[in-house]
Amino acid sequence: MNYDTVIGLEVHVELSTKTKIFCGCTTEFGGQPNTHVCPVCMGLPGALPTLNKRVVEYGIKSGLALGCSINKVCRMDRKNYFYPDAPRNYQITQDEFPICRDGYIDIEFEDGTKKRIGIERIHMEDDAGKLLHTKAGSLIDFNRAGVPLLEIVSRPDMSSAEEAILYLEKLKGILTCIGVSDCKMEQGSLRCDLNVSVKPAGSEKLGVRSEIKNLNSFKSLEKAIEYEVKRQIEAIENGEKLFVETRRWDEENLRTLSMRSKEAANDYRYFPEGDLVTLNISDEWIEEIRKTIPELPHEKYVRFIKQYNLPKYDANIITSSYDVADFFEETVDICSDSKAVANWIMGDISAFMNEKNIGINDTKITPQHLGNLIKLINDGKISNAIGKKVLSEMLENGKMPETIVEEKGLIQNSDESAILDMVKNVLESNPDNVAEYKNGRTNLFGWFVGQVMKMSKGKANPKIVSKLMKEEIEKM
Ligand code: ADP
Ligand code: MG
Ligand code: ZN
């Protein structure tokens, strides 16, 4: 039998606010254990939470960027569970009235087709502390307790690992762009729970899902989907009954392991958080926040294709970093040759950045450098080959291209009489090759041109060399 895969993702992102969600402690990553804490985030008796307004702002901002409607009346709830990483024995989260609902992300496949993935809800909540199990015993660090999180819950709309990865990449791009989170998976500021099930191909009814907790890289997401789909299909084919369960990813052995079944799971006994008031969000505030949303990555991509006539491939690379996109636009303003700018950035400049592992703004060149360089080439003052040399020197010492060209005497030679002398010289000193050329080995033409270029140390204008060479050789 054939099966369809059904995937829904629950994504947790840590918000990049300066302070925690219910107290003034810093949200900074790391630090000596239990130094970023106070009675509120330690859950000491009598300590009262105060909601950080920035968290609500970031929640709204994320919702707007993800096409959600904002619940203007929303509330915090207590989710009760007993575990050493939860200092109060409950998490403050949102149950029935989350801040955002009904959004979407459009993913685009390589062949250009698109698919819309629904977002069911986004809610605000606090992160738990971190447990560390050592030989000497279990330790707890509350520095992370109270760091604000948004949980973004997708609809079960994805049907392959490819789609899940496209969704997560795009979500990450949008959230980073609007500045609500740095989305560093390796530091845990973006964590992903995978819900996956299989069903007979074409069937309407969803299968029994398992939830795989805390995947922290694209690779593990992909591998976990692969493994889990195979496991579930095998179980069904063997006549086993699947049940809703929570599993964890075993990175070393590339498999999922059962943690608990949902039936046996906690009853969280949600109820309204009595220490915080219900929020009433005004339309004015929502509109103010809307104005702070910059051009989103996919909007930039579409605009670059249209405005700069870039191939999709180029637009995708250039817009994948905001710094690079800005650098590109400023350079095009200077030299008006978008394709040349894209080529230089994607070629020699990217190679340099990769080699040094730095961003474009950490190099010694500015849009003015690159724009002027392209103008020198387009005006016929230097050849493309010399341009490459000039660029590599600019990257090393930050000098302007005109300065380098002048200091090194690299100006292209377009003086026809000087070039004609060299052409004649090459032809006269290579009579054997001329004879062969005349006998039909016409591909020697490139060799003749090459000799002149060499003689001129690369500075002769290659177009003029070709033209004169053709004229002279015909005369012979
Ligand atoms: P819970 O809090 O129990 O994890 P939620 O309703 O918050 O449940 O979210 C469950 C996630 O699982 C959502 O992302 C949803 O899209 C996804 N999901 C629900 N049913 C299925 C299913 N049958 N197969 C795969 N994913 C599913
Ligand atoms: Mg869940
Ligand atoms: Zn605190």
Side-chain angles (χ1 to χ4, degrees):
M1 183 156 44
N2 285 328
Y3 295 87
D4 291 337
T5 301
V6 175
I7 297 166
L9 297 183
E10 292 164 272
V11 175
H12 287 93
V13 288
E14 280 181 2
L15 296 178
S16 48
T17 54
K18 287 205 182 66
T19 56
K20 292 186 179 179
I21 182 169
F22 301 122
C23 62
C25 294
T26 177
T27 55
E28 211 175 294
F29 180 75
Q32 280 292 103
N34 299 306
T35 54
H36 304 164
V37 294
C38 74
V40 174
C41 55
M42 296 274 282
L44 299 188
L48 290 173
T50 315
L51 181 58
N52 182 341
K53 192 174 176 188
R54 207 19 71 84
V55 173
V56 185
E57 178 192 323
Y58 283 3
I60 296 171
K61 198 170 179 181
S62 307
L64 293 175
L66 295 167
C68 297
S69 51
I70 309 300
N71 280 335
K72 288 192 278 179
V73 177
C74 79
R75 183 179 84 194
M76 306 305 294
D77 298 288
R78 289 189 187 179
K79 177 181 181 180
N80 298 279
Y81 70 96
F82 302 93
Y83 202 67
D85 66 2
R88 295 181 220 93
N89 288 333
Y90 56 84
Q91 181 185 31
I92 303 180
T93 177
Q94 299 192 288
D95 182 29
E96 275 174 87
F97 304 98
I99 186 148
C100 314
R101 273 197 195 285
D102 294 327
Y104 61 87
I105 283 182
D106 288 328
I107 54 172
E108 186 173 338
F109 300 97
E110 238 166 78
D111 65 3
T113 54
K114 287 187 181 174
K115 178 174 174 182
R116 180 159 289 190
I117 309 298
I119 290 172
E120 196 175 300
R121 55 186 278 147
I122 302 179
H123 59 259
M124 310 177 282
E125 60 189 24
D126 58 349
D127 209 345
K130 235 183 213 163
L131 282 170
L132 191 71
H133 303 290
T134 70
K135 283 209 183 89
S138 289
L139 303 171
I140 175 82
D141 176 6
F142 285 120
N143 284 355
R144 199 182 64 184
V147 167
L149 297 177
L150 283 187
E151 176 169 344
I152 299 153
V153 183
S154 87
R155 296 195 184 279
D157 287 349
M158 288 159 272
S159 46
S160 65
E162 184 195 8
E163 291 182 14
I165 285 169
L166 287 172
Y167 169 85
L168 194 59
E169 274 175 349
K170 191 133 184 208
L171 177 62
K172 196 177 156 193
I174 292 172
L175 296 175
T176 321
C177 160
I178 63 175
V180 299
S181 173
D182 60 18
C183 294
K184 287 186 183 155
M185 286 181 101
E186 65 289 356
Q187 285 189 3
S189 59
L190 187 153
R191 312 192 284 267
C192 177
D193 296 346
L194 159 71
N195 292 272
V196 55
S197 64
V198 298
K199 60 181 174 63
S203 151
E204 288 290 312
K205 198 167 161 281
L206 291 184
V208 177
R209 73 178 154 121
S210 47
E211 177 173 350
I212 295 103
K213 285 287 185 191
N214 279 338
L215 296 165
N216 57 10
S217 73
F218 284 93
K219 198 84 224 142
S220 14
L221 175 62
E222 184 183 355
K223 293 281 167 212
I225 293 171
E226 246 170 52
Y227 178 89
E228 194 56 22
V229 166
K230 194 160 161 270
R231 184 190 70 82
Q232 291 182 13
I233 291 177
E234 273 170 21
I236 294 172
E237 307 254 292
N238 289 336
E240 288 168 37
K241 191 170 150 27
L242 289 174
F243 51 95
V244 182
E245 61 177 343
T246 305
R247 302 177 71 88
R248 71 180 178 84
W249 177 240
D250 173 3
E251 185 74 55
E252 256 163 54
N253 301 298
L254 300 177
R255 62 181 175 177
T256 63
L257 297 170
S258 187
M259 288 165 76
R260 54 182 184 261
S261 85
K262 281 262 177 183
E263 276 82 32
N266 290 317
D267 171 2
Y268 291 123
R269 296 179 297 117
Y270 280 102
F271 61 84
E273 168 56 70
D275 289 338
L276 291 166
V277 294
T278 297
L279 296 176
N280 280 285
I281 298 166
S282 71
D283 288 324
E284 290 75 30
W285 195 32
I286 295 177
E287 288 319 306
E288 241 174 70
I289 295 171
R290 196 190 299 280
K291 286 193 207 118
T292 66
I293 297 179
E295 184 179 33
L296 298 174
H298 48 281
E299 293 168 345
K300 204 181 265 294
Y301 166 77
V302 170
R303 177 169 68 82
F304 272 38
I305 292 173
K306 233 175 112 181
Q307 180 176 344
Y308 297 112
N309 219 350
L310 286 186
K312 280 186 175 180
Y313 177 83
D314 296 23
N316 192 25
I317 295 182
I318 302 282
T319 58
S320 65
S321 143
Y322 268 54
D323 288 344
V324 171
D326 288 347
F327 193 101
F328 170 88
E329 292 203 276
E330 285 173 44
T331 311
V332 176
D333 277 345
I334 294 163
C335 70
S336 321
D337 185 346
S338 54
K339 185 58 187 144
V341 179
N343 287 347
W344 283 103
I345 292 179
M346 295 189 305
D348 294 28
I349 297 177
S350 287
F352 181 84
M353 282 157 47
N354 289 340
E355 188 198 312
K356 305 266 176 195
N357 199 15
I358 54 173
I360 200 155
N361 291 338
D362 307 320
T363 67
K364 292 201 169 115
I365 63 166
T366 63
Q368 196 70 51
H369 286 86
L370 181 58
N372 288 6
L373 176 69
I374 292 172
K375 278 203 281 191
L376 286 173
I377 296 169
N378 289 355
D379 293 345
K381 297 217 172 89
I382 58 172
S383 67
N384 215 57
I386 295 282
K388 274 174 170 292
K389 288 191 188 143
V390 174
L391 177 75
S392 94
E393 189 158 340
M394 292 190 322
L395 288 166
E396 288 305 327
N397 60 23
K399 286 188 183 169
M400 285 311 263
E402 308 79 33
T403 315
I404 297 171
V405 164
E406 202 177 304
E407 280 177 3
K408 305 229 149 160
L410 297 173
I411 285 287
Q412 181 159 273
N413 186 350
S414 299
D415 171 357
E416 296 215 3
S417 70
I419 294 177
L420 184 60
D421 284 346
M422 289 190 273
V423 166
K424 283 184 172 157
N425 186 321
V426 166
L427 290 174
E428 276 159 19
S429 41
N430 293 286
D432 296 351
N433 284 342
V434 173
E436 281 199 44
Y437 177 87
K438 290 283 176 191
N439 279 333
R441 262 191 78 190
T442 48
N443 57 3
L444 273 173
F445 188 78
W447 183 84
F448 288 123
V449 171
Q451 292 306 108
V452 177
M453 292 307 293
K454 216 179 201 174
M455 196 176 268
S456 74
K457 301 209 171 62
K459 286 188 280 177
N461 181 328
K463 278 197 197 117
I464 298 178
V465 176
S466 282
K467 188 191 81 171
L468 295 179
M469 181 63 75
K470 189 148 249 144
E471 286 169 11
E472 287 307 302
I473 215 162
E474 294 307 319
K475 280 191 213 154
M476 294 179 82

Short mmCIF file of all heavy atoms in Angstrom, two decimals, residues 144-174:
data_model
loop_
_atom_site.label_atom_id
_atom_site.label_comp_id
_atom_site.label_asym_id
_atom_site.label_seq_id
_atom_site.Cartn_x
_atom_site.Cartn_y
_atom_site.Cartn_z
N ARG A 144 17.82 30.46 32.13
CA ARG A 144 16.90 30.46 30.99
C ARG A 144 15.44 30.56 31.43
O ARG A 144 14.55 30.84 30.61
CB ARG A 144 17.13 29.19 30.15
CG ARG A 144 16.59 29.29 28.76
CD ARG A 144 16.78 28.00 27.97
NE ARG A 144 16.04 26.90 28.55
CZ ARG A 144 16.09 25.63 28.10
NH1 ARG A 144 16.86 25.32 27.08
NH2 ARG A 144 15.39 24.68 28.68
N ALA A 145 15.16 30.29 32.70
CA ALA A 145 13.77 30.31 33.17
C ALA A 145 13.22 31.73 33.04
O ALA A 145 13.81 32.68 33.55
CB ALA A 145 13.69 29.86 34.62
N GLY A 146 12.12 31.87 32.33
CA GLY A 146 11.52 33.19 32.17
C GLY A 146 11.97 33.92 30.91
O GLY A 146 11.52 35.04 30.65
N VAL A 147 12.84 33.31 30.12
CA VAL A 147 13.16 33.90 28.81
C VAL A 147 11.89 33.79 27.96
O VAL A 147 11.24 32.75 27.93
CB VAL A 147 14.35 33.17 28.15
CG1 VAL A 147 14.50 33.55 26.69
CG2 VAL A 147 15.63 33.46 28.92
N PRO A 148 11.50 34.89 27.28
CA PRO A 148 10.24 34.83 26.54
C PRO A 148 10.31 33.95 25.29
O PRO A 148 11.29 33.98 24.56
CB PRO A 148 9.99 36.29 26.14
CG PRO A 148 11.30 36.96 26.22
CD PRO A 148 12.11 36.23 27.24
N LEU A 149 9.25 33.20 25.08
CA LEU A 149 9.14 32.35 23.89
C LEU A 149 7.88 32.70 23.13
O LEU A 149 6.87 33.08 23.72
CB LEU A 149 9.01 30.87 24.29
CG LEU A 149 10.12 30.18 25.03
CD1 LEU A 149 9.68 28.75 25.36
CD2 LEU A 149 11.38 30.15 24.19
N LEU A 150 7.96 32.53 21.81
CA LEU A 150 6.74 32.44 21.02
C LEU A 150 6.67 31.00 20.54
O LEU A 150 7.67 30.44 20.13
CB LEU A 150 6.81 33.34 19.78
CG LEU A 150 6.61 34.83 19.91
CD1 LEU A 150 6.56 35.45 18.52
CD2 LEU A 150 5.34 35.17 20.68
N GLU A 151 5.47 30.43 20.62
CA GLU A 151 5.29 29.11 20.02
C GLU A 151 4.43 29.27 18.79
O GLU A 151 3.33 29.83 18.85
CB GLU A 151 4.65 28.12 21.00
CG GLU A 151 4.38 26.78 20.32
CD GLU A 151 3.98 25.65 21.27
OE1 GLU A 151 4.18 25.78 22.48
OE2 GLU A 151 3.46 24.65 20.76
N ILE A 152 4.93 28.81 17.67
CA ILE A 152 4.23 28.97 16.40
C ILE A 152 3.79 27.58 15.94
O ILE A 152 4.63 26.72 15.66
CB ILE A 152 5.16 29.64 15.37
CG1 ILE A 152 5.55 31.03 15.90
CG2 ILE A 152 4.49 29.76 14.01
CD1 ILE A 152 6.87 31.53 15.41
N VAL A 153 2.49 27.35 15.92
CA VAL A 153 1.96 26.02 15.64
C VAL A 153 1.40 25.97 14.22
O VAL A 153 0.47 26.70 13.89
CB VAL A 153 0.84 25.66 16.65
CG1 VAL A 153 0.33 24.23 16.41
CG2 VAL A 153 1.33 25.82 18.08
N SER A 154 1.97 25.11 13.40
CA SER A 154 1.47 25.01 12.02
C SER A 154 0.27 24.07 11.95
O SER A 154 0.03 23.28 12.86
CB SER A 154 2.57 24.47 11.09
OG SER A 154 2.55 23.05 11.10
N ARG A 155 -0.47 24.14 10.88
CA ARG A 155 -1.49 23.12 10.59
C ARG A 155 -0.78 21.90 10.00
O ARG A 155 0.34 22.01 9.50
CB ARG A 155 -2.50 23.68 9.59
CG ARG A 155 -3.28 24.84 10.17
CD ARG A 155 -4.52 25.19 9.37
NE ARG A 155 -5.12 26.38 9.95
CZ ARG A 155 -5.91 26.38 11.03
NH1 ARG A 155 -6.21 25.23 11.62
NH2 ARG A 155 -6.39 27.50 11.51
N PRO A 156 -1.44 20.75 10.05
CA PRO A 156 -0.77 19.56 9.50
C PRO A 156 -0.81 19.57 7.98
O PRO A 156 -1.40 18.71 7.34
CB PRO A 156 -1.61 18.40 10.09
CG PRO A 156 -2.94 18.98 10.39
CD PRO A 156 -2.74 20.44 10.67
N ASP A 157 -0.17 20.55 7.39
CA ASP A 157 -0.27 20.79 5.94
C ASP A 157 0.94 20.35 5.14
O ASP A 157 0.95 20.46 3.92
CB ASP A 157 -0.46 22.31 5.69
CG ASP A 157 -1.85 22.79 6.07
OD1 ASP A 157 -2.71 21.93 6.34
OD2 ASP A 157 -2.05 24.02 6.11
N MET A 158 2.00 19.90 5.83
CA MET A 158 3.21 19.53 5.08
C MET A 158 3.22 18.04 4.82
O MET A 158 2.72 17.26 5.64
CB MET A 158 4.45 19.94 5.88
CG MET A 158 4.65 21.44 5.91
SD MET A 158 5.68 21.99 7.27
CE MET A 158 4.49 22.21 8.57
N SER A 159 3.77 17.64 3.66
CA SER A 159 3.69 16.22 3.34
C SER A 159 5.04 15.60 2.97
O SER A 159 5.08 14.52 2.40
CB SER A 159 2.68 16.00 2.22
OG SER A 159 2.89 16.92 1.20
N SER A 160 6.13 16.28 3.30
CA SER A 160 7.45 15.67 3.09
C SER A 160 8.48 16.44 3.91
O SER A 160 8.24 17.56 4.35
CB SER A 160 7.84 15.75 1.61
OG SER A 160 8.01 17.09 1.23
N ALA A 161 9.66 15.82 4.04
CA ALA A 161 10.75 16.50 4.75
C ALA A 161 11.13 17.78 3.99
O ALA A 161 11.41 18.80 4.60
CB ALA A 161 11.96 15.57 4.86
N GLU A 162 11.09 17.71 2.67
CA GLU A 162 11.44 18.89 1.87
C GLU A 162 10.53 20.07 2.25
O GLU A 162 10.99 21.19 2.47
CB GLU A 162 11.29 18.57 0.38
CG GLU A 162 11.72 19.74 -0.51
CD GLU A 162 11.25 19.61 -1.96
OE1 GLU A 162 10.45 18.69 -2.27
OE2 GLU A 162 11.67 20.46 -2.77
N GLU A 163 9.22 19.80 2.33
CA GLU A 163 8.28 20.88 2.66
C GLU A 163 8.53 21.41 4.07
O GLU A 163 8.47 22.62 4.31
CB GLU A 163 6.83 20.39 2.52
CG GLU A 163 6.45 20.12 1.07
CD GLU A 163 5.01 19.67 0.90
OE1 GLU A 163 4.20 19.81 1.86
OE2 GLU A 163 4.68 19.17 -0.18
N ALA A 164 8.80 20.50 5.00
CA ALA A 164 9.03 20.93 6.38
C ALA A 164 10.26 21.83 6.46
O ALA A 164 10.27 22.84 7.16
CB ALA A 164 9.21 19.71 7.29
N ILE A 165 11.29 21.48 5.69
CA ILE A 165 12.52 22.28 5.72
C ILE A 165 12.29 23.64 5.06
O ILE A 165 12.71 24.67 5.59
CB ILE A 165 13.67 21.49 5.07
CG1 ILE A 165 14.12 20.41 6.06
CG2 ILE A 165 14.84 22.41 4.73
CD1 ILE A 165 15.04 19.39 5.50
N LEU A 166 11.58 23.65 3.94
CA LEU A 166 11.28 24.93 3.28
C LEU A 166 10.49 25.84 4.23
O LEU A 166 10.73 27.04 4.33
CB LEU A 166 10.49 24.71 1.99
CG LEU A 166 11.30 24.13 0.81
CD1 LEU A 166 10.38 23.77 -0.35
CD2 LEU A 166 12.37 25.12 0.35
N TYR A 167 9.52 25.24 4.92
CA TYR A 167 8.69 26.00 5.86
C TYR A 167 9.56 26.59 6.97
O TYR A 167 9.49 27.78 7.27
CB TYR A 167 7.62 25.07 6.44
CG TYR A 167 6.85 25.64 7.62
CD1 TYR A 167 5.74 26.46 7.43
CD2 TYR A 167 7.25 25.35 8.93
CE1 TYR A 167 5.05 26.99 8.52
CE2 TYR A 167 6.56 25.88 10.02
CZ TYR A 167 5.47 26.69 9.81
OH TYR A 167 4.79 27.21 10.89
N LEU A 168 10.39 25.74 7.55
CA LEU A 168 11.20 26.20 8.69
C LEU A 168 12.23 27.25 8.26
O LEU A 168 12.46 28.23 8.97
CB LEU A 168 11.89 24.99 9.33
CG LEU A 168 12.50 25.23 10.70
CD1 LEU A 168 11.44 25.69 11.70
CD2 LEU A 168 13.19 23.97 11.23
N GLU A 169 12.82 27.06 7.09
CA GLU A 169 13.78 28.05 6.58
C GLU A 169 13.10 29.40 6.39
O GLU A 169 13.63 30.44 6.76
CB GLU A 169 14.35 27.60 5.23
CG GLU A 169 15.55 26.69 5.36
CD GLU A 169 16.03 26.16 4.02
OE1 GLU A 169 15.31 26.31 3.00
OE2 GLU A 169 17.12 25.56 4.00
N LYS A 170 11.90 29.34 5.82
CA LYS A 170 11.21 30.59 5.53
C LYS A 170 10.78 31.27 6.83
O LYS A 170 10.92 32.49 6.99
CB LYS A 170 10.01 30.30 4.64
CG LYS A 170 9.40 31.54 4.10
CD LYS A 170 9.14 31.43 2.62
CE LYS A 170 8.63 32.76 2.12
NZ LYS A 170 7.77 32.64 0.96
N LEU A 171 10.28 30.46 7.77
CA LEU A 171 9.87 31.02 9.06
C LEU A 171 11.06 31.69 9.74
O LEU A 171 10.97 32.82 10.24
CB LEU A 171 9.32 29.88 9.94
CG LEU A 171 8.91 30.26 11.36
CD1 LEU A 171 7.76 31.28 11.33
CD2 LEU A 171 8.48 29.03 12.15
N LYS A 172 12.18 31.01 9.71
CA LYS A 172 13.40 31.54 10.31
C LYS A 172 13.80 32.85 9.64
O LYS A 172 14.15 33.83 10.31
CB LYS A 172 14.50 30.48 10.13
CG LYS A 172 15.69 30.67 10.99
CD LYS A 172 16.69 29.53 10.80
CE LYS A 172 18.04 30.06 11.22
NZ LYS A 172 19.15 29.23 10.83
N GLY A 173 13.74 32.88 8.32
CA GLY A 173 14.10 34.08 7.57
C GLY A 173 13.23 35.27 7.95
O GLY A 173 13.71 36.39 8.15
N ILE A 174 11.93 35.02 8.09
CA ILE A 174 11.00 36.11 8.40
C ILE A 174 11.23 36.62 9.82
O ILE A 174 11.33 37.82 10.06
CB ILE A 174 9.53 35.64 8.21
CG1 ILE A 174 9.25 35.39 6.73
CG2 ILE A 174 8.55 36.66 8.78
CD1 ILE A 174 7.91 34.76 6.43
#
